[in-house]
Amino acid sequence: MLELLSPFLSAGTATAIALVAFAGVLRGFSGFGSAMVLAPALAALYPVTVAVPLIILLEVALSFQLLTAAARQVVWREIAILSVAAMPGLFVGAWLLERIPEQTLRLGISLAILIFLLLLLANVRRQGPVSPMGLAATGTLSGIANSASGVGGPPVVLYYLAGDGTTAAVRATVIVYFFAIDVASTGIYTARGLVTGQVLVLTALCVPAAVAGVWLGTRLFDQASEQTYRRVAYAIIAAAALIAPFA
């Protein structure tokens, strides 16, 4: 068994495991943000054909242990609207990537996210409850941002934080929404033959770190106040917006 694993027992794998643990803490606490850590780091450690499906499988693993508790707090109609609206957004993001220089597109998305974040910090809030139109627009923007820059979380988080819902509900919604998107992506990558033996072994080696990180992040969330969650969420969003153009 050790002989089979020996090609994977390297400094690169150790680095990946440490990064996954940190990403798990972020996901366990906030419900998002793990891709911001994993995408640029794993892309530097492995070929893109390995890194991308590995990130998706790890994202599924990071969400899975949070899913049962999160599912009890979400409004499923809202999840359905967000998820359905995100699908065409993914294609629009890919279409834009073919026509606009990647760096320019990533920069534009990051600037838009930062502007919305600044509006929230200035206490500008959404008028009225969550609406189907608002959810559809948010899901589409999330899909575009996810496909074009890998930062699909901020539009959804910002939309909910702009209202008067609890941070627990925001976190749960983001967890379930991204689980659905990541499972769909896993199916696509599997059908295209990108989920290889190497990807599966690396995923298996990283999963214990993911479980530990998510456990710690969840414990930290349980002890945090609403204000603390908002501050951490804003910091993650700002970091994602600043990192995305250079990832």
Side-chain angles (χ1 to χ4, degrees):
M1 183 67 175
L2 189 59
E3 291 180 359
L4 293 174
L5 292 176
S6 59
F8 300 95
L9 302 180
S10 64
T13 302
T15 301
I17 291 172
L19 289 166
V20 169
F22 177 62
V25 175
L26 284 182
R27 176 61 71 91
F29 182 86
S30 66
F32 71 107
S34 51
M36 177 191 74
V37 175
L38 295 176
L42 294 184
L45 290 171
Y46 303 107
V48 174
T49 53
V50 173
V52 173
L54 176 59
I55 290 165
I56 294 298
L57 288 180
L58 288 172
E59 287 286 289
V60 172
L62 289 167
S63 296
F64 187 76
Q65 68 191 98
L66 298 167
L67 198 60
T68 301
R72 293 195 294 265
Q73 302 180 60
V74 300
V75 179
W76 286 100
R77 182 178 67 89
E78 296 177 9
I79 296 294
I81 295 173
L82 284 170
S83 301
V84 170
M87 297 306 167
L90 293 172
F91 289 101
V92 172
W95 181 84
L96 290 172
L97 267 178
E98 295 175 355
R99 287 157 179 80
I100 301 174
E102 182 178 355
Q103 196 73 7
T104 302
L105 185 58
R106 286 172 176 251
L107 183 60
I109 291 172
S110 293
L111 287 174
I113 290 172
L114 287 173
I115 288 170
F116 282 116
L117 178 58
L118 289 173
L119 289 173
L120 268 185
L121 292 174
N123 209 33
V124 175
R125 292 290 182 266
R126 186 183 69 242
Q127 299 299 314
V130 170
S131 69
M133 187 68 71
L135 288 168
T138 300
T140 301
L141 288 173
S142 174
I144 292 172
N146 196 61
S147 181
S149 68
V151 288
V156 178
V157 178
L158 289 172
Y159 179 72
Y160 277 94
L161 288 180
D164 55 4
T166 65
T167 54
V170 174
R171 175 177 173 271
T173 298
V174 175
I175 289 168
V176 176
Y177 166 67
F178 275 106
F179 182 78
I181 297 297
D182 291 334
V183 167
S185 298
T186 298
I188 293 171
Y189 288 127
T190 301
R192 295 178 63 183
L194 292 173
V195 181
T196 61
Q198 180 185 6
V199 170
L200 290 174
V201 171
L202 287 170
T203 301
L205 290 172
C206 290
V207 161
V211 171
V214 168
W215 178 86
L216 177 58
T218 302
R219 301 287 83 74
L220 293 173
F221 173 79
D222 291 340
Q223 298 171 23
S225 65
E226 295 259 333
Q227 188 177 36
T228 298
Y229 178 87
R230 285 180 175 270
R231 287 174 177 170
V232 173
Y234 292 161
I236 294 173
I237 290 170
L242 293 172
I243 290 171
F246 310 103

